[in-house]
Amino acid sequence: MDTKRSDVVMRRGRPAGPRTIGLVCAVAAAGALLSGCGSSGSDTASPRKSAAPSRAVPATAASLNADQAQRKALVPMAKVDYGQALKAAIAAVPSSEAIAAELKGTPSSPYWDTVVATTDGTAYAVRVDAVSGKAQKPQPQSDDPDDKQELAARLGKATVTAQQAAQTATEKTKGTVTTIELGDADHGNDTVAWTVGVVTTDDWNETTYEIDATNRKVLWMHVDQD
């Protein structure tokens, strides 16, 4: 799915996760009446909010927003999944590792925008047909020495593969992986992390996970319902 990022390799920013606020009420001693939170004496307390997202109900065509409708139209048309796309991209660039994949295109012409890199930090973009699985000719990315050095260092730190990160995400949210990318963690300690987007087909929402690329720990998650 298109996420309007201009550089899939060096992306930094990610949306801030939702914050939840709960109200805690005290129950008076045995036999006393239940009082509301605070000192106002109101007999109606605000309901406690849960940090966990509510269970989604199946969305109808009329209730889908633009992003959900786009996912519903595009995702089922991809006969090649992210793993097959990355495998094709790696085959097109010998001795490379997968660092990104994103489902793009239209329902009539879906494709995977993938990126692979060699250990020296040289990155290549490889477009893979999401129906046939055929990879186009790899396109070299930035030749900037600093970019290559930074990417090489990131690859050296990452011990979790793209497939392992995707598995961690889909174990928590059953759905289709539509984006995956290796980058710097935004919601954890100074480390490298995988960002994985999973689309659920009952509501066509996308849940994004940030997963530590050294131990598979989930650092952050966000459900895109807009």
Side-chain angles (χ1 to χ4, degrees):
M1 307 296 294
D2 291 328
T3 55
K4 300 181 181 178
R5 61 173 178 255
S6 59
D7 188 340
V8 71
V9 179
M10 304 306 295
R11 184 171 65 87
R12 291 291 185 272
R14 296 188 179 96
R19 292 179 293 179
T20 56
I21 303 174
L23 296 178
V24 180
C25 296
V27 178
L33 296 177
L34 179 66
S35 62
C37 295
S39 58
S40 64
S42 171
D43 58 2
T44 303
S46 299
R48 185 169 182 167
K49 298 181 181 179
S50 172
S54 59
R55 183 175 179 82
V57 297
T60 63
S63 67
L64 296 177
N65 61 36
D67 288 341
Q68 291 169 329
Q70 181 186 22
R71 296 173 193 134
K72 184 177 180 180
L74 180 60
V75 172
M77 298 298 103
K79 308 307 178 186
V80 172
D81 65 21
Y82 85 95
Q84 294 169 311
L86 288 177
K87 185 176 180 179
I90 291 172
V93 181
S95 302
S96 64
E97 299 179 48
I99 58 174
E102 181 177 4
L103 182 61
K104 292 184 176 182
T106 64
S108 61
S109 184
Y111 67 90
W112 287 96
D113 185 8
T114 74
V115 181
V116 297
T118 52
T119 55
D120 66 351
T122 302
Y124 298 84
V126 184
R127 179 165 168 165
V128 179
D129 190 295
V131 177
S132 68
K134 182 178 180 180
Q136 295 186 0
K137 182 179 179 180
Q139 301 297 319
Q141 300 297 283
S142 174
D143 286 329
D144 183 270
D146 291 336
D147 288 346
K148 294 176 66 174
Q149 183 177 4
E150 182 178 357
L151 180 54
R154 191 178 297 146
L155 289 171
K157 294 177 183 178
T159 56
V160 175
T161 66
Q163 289 79 3
Q164 290 172 328
Q167 182 182 16
T168 297
T170 53
E171 284 175 351
K172 297 182 177 299
T173 298
K174 304 300 182 184
T176 301
V177 173
T178 55
T179 61
I180 187 164
E181 176 189 350
L182 182 66
D184 295 329
D186 286 344
H187 302 87
N189 296 326
D190 183 18
T191 187
V192 293
W194 288 99
T195 301
V196 184
V198 182
V199 171
T200 45
T201 57
D202 57 348
D203 52 21
W204 300 104
N205 288 331
E206 182 176 46
T207 302
T208 302
Y209 288 91
E210 184 176 80
I211 298 168
D212 192 309
T214 65
N215 58 20
R216 299 178 71 170
K217 179 181 178 181
V218 174
L219 303 175
W220 170 83
M221 66 84 69
H222 171 72
V223 181
D224 182 6
Q225 297 177 318
D226 300 327

